[in-house]
Amino acid sequence: MREALRLARAQRDLLGRCLTWLCGGALALNLLFVLGILSLLAYHGLASFWQKPLLWLELDDGQRLLGEVWERQEVPVALEEAAGSAGTRIRLKVGNRDVTGADFVWLDESRVGRSAHPADAVLLERLEWGNFYGFPRALRLGGETLASGREETWRALQPVLEAKAAERRAVEEVEEEISDVNYRIDRLRLDARAVELRALPAPEEARRLAEIARQLGPLEARYETLAEELFGRRDALLAERLVMATAAGSEKDVAVGEIVRALRPNALGVGGKLGLYLSRAWELVAGHPRESNTEGGIFPAIFGTVMMVFLMSFAVAPLGVLAALYLREYARQGPLVQTVRIAVNN
């Protein structure tokens, strides 16, 4: 009898250890997968924050391009046979999507006649339409030219950009206040509709509607004032215009208020590139998205994920504790309950 009990206990212990090893192995494997994914993301993602130099190219047909080299590869065999030449090709990010319609172009390096890294080439990071690559020609306010020429325009642009950043923050504050006022107005209108649907006595209904109207009047007046202020601030934000020239020679008028950053990558030292790298990394973590979530930051996604985890933890923890108490103290004996208890005890 004792031998049978000892054998049964040994079997249960063995099952418990096997389940523990299985859980531990699954957890270790999941951790390895997570670390692998994070390493892959870090390898490919963190490098994208480092600013590449701007390359100016003149092709054999006279076409001129300016952009960043993102990839270099051997020309595929099918393309070699079609073109009748072998070699390498590069993928050049030329930006200027609102001018050319494409962010990237592929070109054979055999077509490159001349190349250079001009120190005065400018990269503009914009709120819309992505990056713009070119050379500054003039800075204008209405019909007045504030600066002209590459160097003079570049020097005059920096203080204007700082002022526009402050103006954008002010516009965002007004938009937030408008959203709050609009929410309160909608709530009062819903309250008024609820009073109308309750079929109250006429004097009581009139009294309540008058009270709602009394609260609604100042809010609507405040909304109109804020809307006028917002339109004025937006007009002021877009008043200054930067005239940029592309590598091909065409001009593009860019509102300074839509520029997030303006920099000369080929003139940046290691310290400047490192500061730019940290600024972009912080923008990813703490900034808001733009360009249909393809640029800018992911702070709303991070905040939503963290809040979801907290809410789910608060909801699941009590249920998990109650389930454990039930299985431990009240559940009937059975294969599933016995297996769970062995796993918990070990």
Side-chain angles (χ1 to χ4, degrees):
M1 184 66 178
R2 291 182 178 178
E3 183 65 21
L5 291 176
R6 187 184 63 80
L7 182 59
R9 188 179 298 109
Q11 291 176 348
R12 290 196 301 270
D13 292 342
L14 178 61
L15 178 60
R17 285 195 296 269
C18 290
L19 291 175
T20 302
W21 294 337
L22 180 61
C23 292
L27 177 60
L29 185 62
N30 289 335
L31 289 177
L32 287 177
F33 283 150
V34 170
L35 291 176
I37 292 175
L38 291 178
S39 300
L40 187 64
L41 291 174
Y43 177 76
H44 290 285
L46 295 179
S48 64
F49 295 135
W50 189 260
Q51 179 59 51
K52 303 176 180 65
L54 293 187
L55 177 64
W56 177 87
L57 300 173
E58 184 176 4
L59 306 184
D60 52 7
D61 60 356
Q63 183 182 5
R64 296 179 179 180
L65 302 172
L66 177 67
E68 305 175 54
V69 178
W70 277 60
E71 187 177 355
R72 179 176 279 104
Q73 64 176 217
E74 297 292 331
V75 177
V77 177
L79 295 180
E80 289 181 8
E81 296 175 352
S85 62
T88 60
R89 64 175 186 170
I90 60 176
R91 185 163 70 111
L92 191 69
K93 182 176 182 180
V94 294
N96 305 3
R97 189 165 67 241
D98 48 341
V99 177
T100 63
D103 269 328
F104 293 87
V105 296
W106 282 100
L107 56 94
D108 295 339
E109 289 194 283
S110 59
R111 296 186 54 200
V112 177
R114 292 190 300 163
S115 64
H117 293 88
D120 56 354
V122 172
L123 161 61
L124 302 180
E125 295 182 14
R126 300 180 291 177
L127 294 174
E128 297 179 352
W129 297 104
N131 292 351
F132 190 95
Y133 304 98
F135 303 91
R137 283 192 174 176
L139 181 64
R140 295 171 181 165
L141 175 60
E144 179 185 0
T145 300
L146 303 179
S148 61
R150 294 185 181 181
E151 291 300 326
E152 183 180 353
T153 302
W154 176 253
R155 287 193 298 268
L157 178 62
Q158 304 309 310
V160 177
L161 280 177
E162 296 177 2
K164 293 303 171 183
E167 290 181 19
R168 274 199 304 272
R169 290 192 293 269
V171 168
E172 291 172 358
E173 291 175 358
V174 175
E175 289 174 343
E176 291 176 359
E177 188 174 356
I178 287 178
S179 177
D180 179 62
V181 172
N182 193 45
Y183 173 79
R184 294 164 63 186
I185 290 174
D186 286 341
R187 293 301 304 175
L188 288 174
R189 288 174 177 170
L190 290 175
D191 292 342
R193 183 58 179 164
V195 170
E196 293 173 354
L197 294 176
R198 290 177 62 182
L200 297 172
E204 179 65 15
E205 179 178 336
R207 186 187 66 80
R208 294 193 180 188
L209 292 177
E211 177 63 21
I212 292 175
R214 185 185 65 81
Q215 300 178 40
L216 193 60
L219 288 176
E220 290 179 338
R222 179 59 178 165
Y223 180 87
E224 294 296 331
T225 302
L226 290 173
E228 293 180 4
E229 180 182 355
L230 180 62
F231 292 144
R233 287 184 179 274
R234 284 179 175 173
D235 291 340
L237 180 65
L238 303 178
E240 289 83 356
R241 315 292 294 189
L242 176 64
V243 181
M244 294 288 295
T246 66
S250 61
E251 288 189 352
K252 174 64 178 177
D253 193 4
V254 180
V256 180
E258 295 179 349
I259 301 175
V260 179
R261 291 187 185 88
L263 53 127
R264 286 177 166 178
N266 297 337
L268 288 176
V270 176
K273 289 185 177 180
L274 181 59
L276 179 62
Y277 181 92
L278 296 176
S279 174
R280 286 173 173 172
W282 175 250
E283 180 187 24
L284 175 69
V285 176
H288 291 272
R290 60 177 188 271
E291 283 286 324
S292 300
N293 295 331
T294 60
E295 297 181 12
I298 57 173
F299 177 76
I302 295 176
F303 180 81
T305 302
V306 172
M307 289 301 298
M308 181 70 71
V309 170
F310 274 115
L311 292 176
M312 292 301 295
S313 299
F314 293 147
V316 170
L319 296 178
V321 172
L322 291 176
L325 288 174
Y326 172 77
L327 290 173
R328 179 67 181 176
E329 302 295 340
Y330 302 103
R332 293 181 179 181
Q333 292 293 333
L336 179 60
V337 175
Q338 187 69 19
T339 302
V340 173
R341 286 182 175 176
I342 292 173
V344 171
N345 290 334
N346 287 276

